[in-house]
Amino acid sequence: MGWMNQALPWLEWTGVHLSPWKLIGLTGALLFGGRWLVQFWATRKAGRPVIPRLFWYMSVAGSLMTLSYFLFSAKQDAVGIAQNLFPAFTALYSLRLDIRHRGWKPAADEPAG
């Protein structure tokens, strides 16, 4: 999978080295960071602290995407692996508990995500 570490040709004119793995890692980082905007919006709408299920979905996807970047790309950084491995397990566990507790339907005060 060496091609996953090669720069995307359609971005060469920018001077930015953006490989498919880097796109996966950046997308994961945006998902993981963006989950706080989702949580802020849901809390503001409800008028009390709320963690919507979308928060957990974004946590799982973001963690797994950045974890795969650090595991499989040319980067292979142990710090990045450790930094994303534990949040992935925590998010998966929290999502499982949320589904078990509330079922598959979102809570009445939670925005549909």
Side-chain angles (χ1 to χ4, degrees), residues 10-79:
W10 48 273
L11 287 175
E12 285 178 1
W13 66 273
T14 66
V16 175
H17 178 275
L18 200 58
S19 68
W21 273 124
K22 200 170 277 191
L23 271 179
I24 290 169
L26 287 172
T27 303
L30 287 172
L31 277 171
F32 198 75
R35 69 198 175 120
W36 292 110
L37 295 174
V38 168
Q39 194 271 336
F40 173 78
W41 179 65
T43 293
R44 186 146 167 88
K45 186 174 180 183
R48 62 179 179 78
V50 174
I51 298 179
R53 184 164 298 156
L54 182 58
F55 178 91
W56 298 119
Y57 286 130
M58 290 174 75
S59 297
V60 169
S63 291
L64 292 178
M65 289 175 82
T66 52
L67 179 62
S68 67
Y69 167 72
F70 285 113
L71 278 172
F72 303 117
S73 76
K75 186 78 171 167
Q76 296 198 352
D77 180 48
V79 174

